[in-house]
């Protein structure tokens, strides 16, 4: 298949294929007599793998190492740590949302009412500590 066919099947642009060749994440295929690149199905699988790794957050600049060596354990470990940090941050945000939902936060008009928590800054009533 030619570049356009491969690009269409993989869901990328022909320009992306050329970029993959330029940075070394996709090997140059053999060329026909007319100079057109001739790709095989293994190239399609390779491009789909590049797309999957990119979707995982692996930058193309680091992908050449991962693709060439077949494992890229350091890169995968770094990505795993970054994702773990992001998950911890997201879980913290969810916890804060849960706390806000569980409290009865009201406007300044209800500051003096018992059992209600005021979220205004200048209040001397039942203000929040956090």
């Amino acid at each position: 298949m030619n570049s356009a066919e491969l690009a269409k099947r993989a869901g990328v642009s022909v320009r992306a294929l050329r970029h993959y060749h330029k940075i070394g994440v996709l090997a140059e295929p053999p060329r026909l007599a007319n100079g057109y690149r001739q790709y095989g199905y293994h190239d399609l699988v390779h491009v789909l793998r590049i797309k999957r790794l990119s979707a995982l957050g692996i930058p193309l600049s680091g992908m050449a190492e991962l693709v060439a060596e077949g494992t890229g354990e350091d890169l995968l470990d770094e990505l795993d740590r970054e994702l773990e940090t992001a998950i911890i941050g997201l879980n913290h945000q969810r916890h804060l949302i849960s706390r806000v939902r569980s409290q009865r936060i009201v406007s300044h008009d209800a500051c003096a009412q018992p059992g209600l928590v005021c979220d205004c800054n200048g209040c001397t009533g039942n203000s929040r500590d956090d």
Side-chain angles (χ1 to χ4, degrees):
M1 74 189 95
N2 64 29
S3 297
E5 293 169 327
L6 175 65
K8 183 176 180 180
R9 290 181 184 183
V12 299
S13 65
V14 173
R15 186 174 177 176
L17 292 177
R18 290 186 186 124
H19 182 67
Y20 296 161
H21 290 304
K22 183 178 179 181
I23 64 173
V25 295
L26 182 62
E28 279 285 343
R31 292 185 182 251
L32 299 174
N34 61 7
Y36 288 178
R37 293 177 173 99
Q38 183 63 37
Y39 295 97
Y41 285 101
H42 65 280
D43 295 307
L44 174 60
V45 171
H46 196 84
V47 172
L48 292 173
R49 183 171 186 226
I50 291 169
K51 280 183 61 176
R52 180 178 295 153
L53 293 171
S54 182
L56 289 172
I58 297 173
L60 289 174
S61 60
M63 207 176 289
E65 170 192 342
L66 184 63
V67 173
E69 294 179 6
T71 61
E73 287 300 318
D74 290 343
L75 187 58
L76 292 174
D77 289 343
E78 179 182 342
L79 176 62
D80 191 45
R81 284 189 300 274
E82 289 174 7
L83 291 174
E84 181 65 26
T85 300
I87 289 168
I88 290 169
L90 291 171
N91 283 332
H92 178 70
Q93 287 178 336
R94 291 186 71 215
H95 176 72
L96 291 175
I97 290 170
S98 176
R99 284 184 55 202
V100 168
R101 282 186 175 152
S102 69
Q103 297 175 355
R104 293 178 59 196
I105 298 177
V106 297
S107 67
H108 184 70
D109 295 337
C111 289
Q113 296 181 21
L116 297 180
V117 178
C118 177
D119 64 348
C120 67
N121 290 329
C123 180
T124 58
N126 300 322
S127 62
R128 294 188 308 181
D129 292 329
D130 51 27

